[in-house]
């Protein structure tokens, strides 16, 4: 399906589930409703970080990425639960099926949010009624609250959905940008992260209005093409289309994790790299893809973050090859300072059917042997479990320690009805 065609007046919805993981757990177990609830890794050992929390927990100061011990200190009655990704994926699939009944132009962007363009549907006659009916249906059938932003483009719809939570419906028109968006802090603008905000603050850009009125040449000097893009957004300009096929587009697959404590333990750090590569390999195989570049991310105790990568001659997709390069990069570039976060990603991705690698007389035999070996390893693992070989592909790890990239996991399973 092609993206929606550009037209002067479009009606775009941004649907954002409220406290999605916590909401799914409360829908599954209603006795949790009204209580401070958080989803976190290793709650029994008080290790790991808060993945998400209910509004009751947030009211006590509990925040995403906060260490569990700190969250319990702020909220001693906090209920901690391990993530159940299959449950969340199932709920997400049902939600996107509902969206697709309204319009074929649905673009998921994560497990709990997406865009839809209703411009050329019968529902365009009264967007507010449509939004209210959709919100109530999700709530009544799945017991999950959501907020909906309605606007003429994706950026404004996203900003609108954040304006009222939970169970909000907000319309944001382009003519209202100066009144409603410009007074907001630039840090609150979608697309502006912590580092970008610091750079903008350094040239006296404190609000979205400041960004909208800043000299574009100065912005491009500071941020490159992203400077002009952000200024357009600040002025309510966003020509991106709602593209149902974008869910299948990917250039990299990665996994990262914040450690429960800053660490210099080489064994612990290499074990984490091993687990991250497990996660990457599983996602790569789900997409039947391969990549040519391996990248690692290291965030230190002082929040300084570095990324280092290595481009390969051939595409790779299996655990041992990704792990070899990831460990090599880590050993070369870690400065032995305490590490707070590690990440591994496979980049320059292509689906295997598009790679079309030309195998010559000298490479065919070795590649054929390697692929046969990998098939054998996979069969043994499936039949006897991950402990039969040193390679670890235990998918249950997903339910034990959350990765910061799990928001995208559902994309592997998403299929439009």
């Amino acid at each position: 399906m092609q993206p929606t065609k550009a037209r002067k007046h479009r009606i775009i919805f941004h649907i954002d589930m409220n406290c999605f993981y916590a909401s799914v757990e409360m829908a599954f177990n209603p006795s949790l409703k009204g209580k401070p609830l958080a989803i976190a890794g290793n709650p029994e050992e008080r290790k790991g970080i808060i993945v998400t929390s209910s509004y009751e927990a947030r009211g006590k100061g509990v925040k995403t990425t906060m260490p569990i011990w700190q969250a319990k200190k702020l909220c001693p009655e906090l209920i901690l639960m391990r993530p159940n990704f299959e449950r969340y994926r199932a709920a997400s699939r049902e939600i996107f099926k509902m969206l697709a009944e309204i319009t074929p132009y649905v673009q998921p962007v994560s497990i709990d949010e997406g865009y839809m363009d209703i411009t050329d549907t019968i529902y365009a006659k009264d967007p507010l009624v449509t939004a209210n009916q959709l919100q109530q249906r999700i709530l009544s059938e799945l017991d999950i609250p959501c907020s909906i932003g309605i606007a003429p483009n994706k950026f404004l719809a996203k900003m609108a959905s954040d304006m009222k939570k939970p169970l909000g419906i907000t319309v944001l028109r382009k003519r209202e940008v100066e009144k409603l968006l410009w007074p907001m802090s630039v840090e609150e603008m979608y697309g502006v992260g912590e580092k970008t905000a610091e750079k903008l603050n350094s040239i006296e850009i404190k609000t979205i209005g400041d960004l909208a009125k800043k000299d574009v040449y100065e912005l491009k000097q500071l941020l490159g093409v992203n400077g002009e893009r952000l200024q357009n957004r600040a002025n309510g300009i966003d020509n991106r289309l709602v593209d149902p096929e974008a869910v299948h587009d990917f250039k990299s697959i990665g996994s990262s994790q914040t450690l429960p404590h800053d660490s210099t333990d080489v064994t612990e750090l290499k074990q984490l790299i091993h687990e991250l590569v497990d996660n990457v390999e599983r996602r790569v195989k789900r997409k039947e893809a391969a990549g040519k570049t391996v990248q690692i991310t290291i965030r230190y105790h002082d929040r300084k973050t570095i990324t280092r990568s290595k481009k390969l001659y051939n595409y790779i997709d299996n655990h041992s090859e990704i792990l070899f390069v990831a460990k090599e990069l880590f050993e070369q570039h870690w400065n032995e300072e305490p590490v707070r976060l590690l990440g591994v990603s496979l980049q320059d991705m292509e689906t295997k059917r598009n790679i079309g690698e030309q195998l010559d007389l000298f490479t065919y035999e070795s590649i054929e042997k390697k692929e046969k070996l990998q098939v054998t390893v996979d069969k043994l693992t499936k039949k006897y479990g991950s402990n039969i070989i040193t390679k670890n592909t235990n998918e249950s790890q997903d339910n034990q320690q959350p990765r910061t990239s799990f928001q995208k996991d559902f994309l592997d399973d998403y299929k439009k009805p």
Side-chain angles (χ1 to χ4, degrees):
M1 181 180 296
Q2 295 298 313
T4 53
K5 294 180 179 179
R7 191 170 117 177
K8 187 173 181 181
H9 301 295
R10 303 215 67 83
I11 305 171
I12 310 296
F13 283 14
H14 180 261
I15 298 89
D16 191 7
M17 301 301 119
N18 304 142
C19 306
F20 183 59
Y21 303 110
S23 294
V24 172
E25 296 297 349
M26 287 187 282
F28 186 79
N29 180 3
S31 68
L32 295 170
K33 290 184 177 182
K35 298 177 181 178
L37 171 67
I39 311 302
N42 291 334
E44 295 87 354
E45 301 176 21
R46 296 172 64 87
K47 293 181 180 179
I49 59 172
I50 302 297
V51 176
T52 190
S53 59
S54 66
Y55 285 108
E56 291 81 5
R58 295 180 188 188
K60 298 292 182 70
V62 177
K63 297 179 180 179
T64 300
T65 74
M66 179 179 284
I68 288 175
W69 65 265
Q70 187 178 354
K72 289 290 285 185
K73 187 175 181 180
L74 290 169
C75 182
E77 68 274 26
L78 183 66
I79 301 169
L80 293 167
M81 296 184 67
R82 288 181 178 274
N84 187 323
F85 295 111
E86 286 307 313
R87 187 175 292 165
Y88 308 150
R89 290 188 186 108
S92 178
R93 283 192 290 270
E94 292 304 310
I95 290 165
F96 281 103
K97 284 179 184 177
M98 293 182 191
L99 307 192
E101 290 177 17
I102 295 173
T103 172
Y105 294 104
V106 176
Q107 180 182 337
V109 293
S110 76
I111 194 169
D112 64 345
E113 64 173 314
Y115 296 98
M116 50 192 295
D117 186 336
I118 69 164
T119 308
D120 300 314
T121 71
I122 59 173
Y123 302 99
K125 294 179 181 179
D126 200 331
L128 278 172
V129 169
T130 300
N132 185 67
Q133 290 175 344
L134 175 61
Q135 186 184 70
Q136 290 305 310
R137 183 184 176 192
I138 295 172
L139 186 64
S140 63
E141 294 187 19
L142 301 176
D143 203 11
I144 297 173
C146 72
S147 292
I148 301 176
I150 307 172
N153 61 52
K154 290 166 77 172
F155 170 73
L156 293 180
K158 168 68 175 176
M159 293 297 291
S161 69
D162 283 337
M163 288 181 172
K164 185 179 179 182
K165 291 185 176 182
L167 287 172
I169 297 176
T170 306
V171 178
L172 181 57
R173 302 170 180 86
K174 195 171 178 181
R175 64 176 179 269
E176 298 171 320
V177 166
E178 184 173 347
K179 177 183 177 182
L180 298 178
L181 291 193
W182 282 13
M184 295 171 63
S185 165
V186 74
E187 287 87 352
E188 297 178 77
M189 178 175 165
Y190 176 64
V192 175
E194 183 180 347
K195 296 290 185 182
T196 300
E198 288 176 2
K199 291 180 180 179
L200 292 172
N201 289 167
S202 72
I203 57 171
E204 301 304 315
I205 294 177
K206 307 295 183 182
T207 67
I208 294 178
D210 293 337
L211 175 60
K213 293 176 279 188
K214 194 69 174 179
D215 177 68
V216 68
Y217 177 78
E218 190 173 354
L219 288 171
K220 290 173 76 172
Q221 288 290 103
L222 182 71
L223 301 173
V225 294
N226 195 42
E228 184 174 10
R229 185 182 301 114
L230 287 175
Q231 186 179 63
N232 285 335
R233 302 281 196 275
N235 282 292
I237 301 169
D238 181 9
N239 296 321
R240 293 174 302 155
L241 304 176
V242 173
D243 182 4
E245 299 303 321
V247 69
H248 305 296
D249 294 340
F250 57 95
K251 292 299 179 184
S252 69
I253 294 176
S255 181
S256 60
Q257 183 180 325
T258 301
L259 284 90
H261 54 267
D262 299 336
S263 177
T264 57
D265 185 329
V266 177
T267 302
E268 179 182 27
L269 295 174
K270 287 190 174 181
Q271 176 59 31
L272 177 54
I273 291 174
H274 194 286
E275 294 172 5
L276 296 175
V277 172
D278 281 343
N279 220 23
V280 171
E281 182 202 32
R282 184 172 61 256
R283 294 171 184 163
V284 167
K285 290 192 172 182
R286 279 180 183 169
K287 289 183 177 289
E288 297 183 351
K292 293 182 74 170
T293 300
V294 176
Q295 177 176 287
I296 65 163
T297 300
I298 304 173
R299 178 171 297 159
Y300 293 103
H301 61 103
D302 58 1
R303 299 189 65 81
K304 178 184 176 182
T305 305
I306 66 166
T307 58
R308 297 293 184 268
S309 62
K310 181 176 181 179
K311 194 173 184 70
L312 308 172
Y313 181 73
N314 290 319
Y315 286 95
I316 63 173
D317 69 343
N318 68 69
H319 184 278
S320 60
E321 291 178 313
I322 301 170
L323 181 63
F324 179 83
V325 180
K327 282 187 174 180
E328 180 183 52
L329 288 168
F330 178 75
E331 290 165 359
Q332 289 175 354
H333 300 289
W334 178 41
N335 65 9
E336 300 188 0
E337 289 291 313
V339 174
R340 179 168 299 177
L341 173 145
L342 283 176
V344 176
S345 65
L346 187 61
Q347 303 181 341
D348 296 327
M349 302 290 297
E350 271 291 354
T351 58
K352 288 185 175 180
R353 67 176 178 270
N354 290 336
I355 291 172
E357 183 179 16
Q358 298 299 315
L359 300 178
D360 59 36
L361 183 63
F362 300 102
T363 62
Y364 180 82
E365 185 177 353
S366 63
I367 291 177
E368 183 184 37
K369 286 180 178 178
K370 183 171 67 176
E371 290 187 347
K372 286 181 178 178
L373 174 62
Q374 192 63 41
V375 169
T376 302
V377 167
D378 290 343
K379 286 181 178 178
L380 285 170
T381 301
K382 186 175 181 180
K383 185 172 182 180
Y384 297 109
S386 59
N387 293 329
I388 194 70
I389 46 176
T390 57
K391 179 174 178 290
N392 179 6
T393 56
N394 186 357
E395 294 207 12
S396 67
Q397 287 179 358
D398 251 7
N399 288 329
Q400 295 174 1
Q401 185 69 7
R403 315 289 187 222
T404 55
S405 58
F406 64 74
Q407 287 273 11
K408 299 291 183 183
D409 282 359
F410 89 108
L411 299 177
D412 299 334
D413 306 316
Y414 175 72
K415 292 182 175 62
K416 295 182 292 299

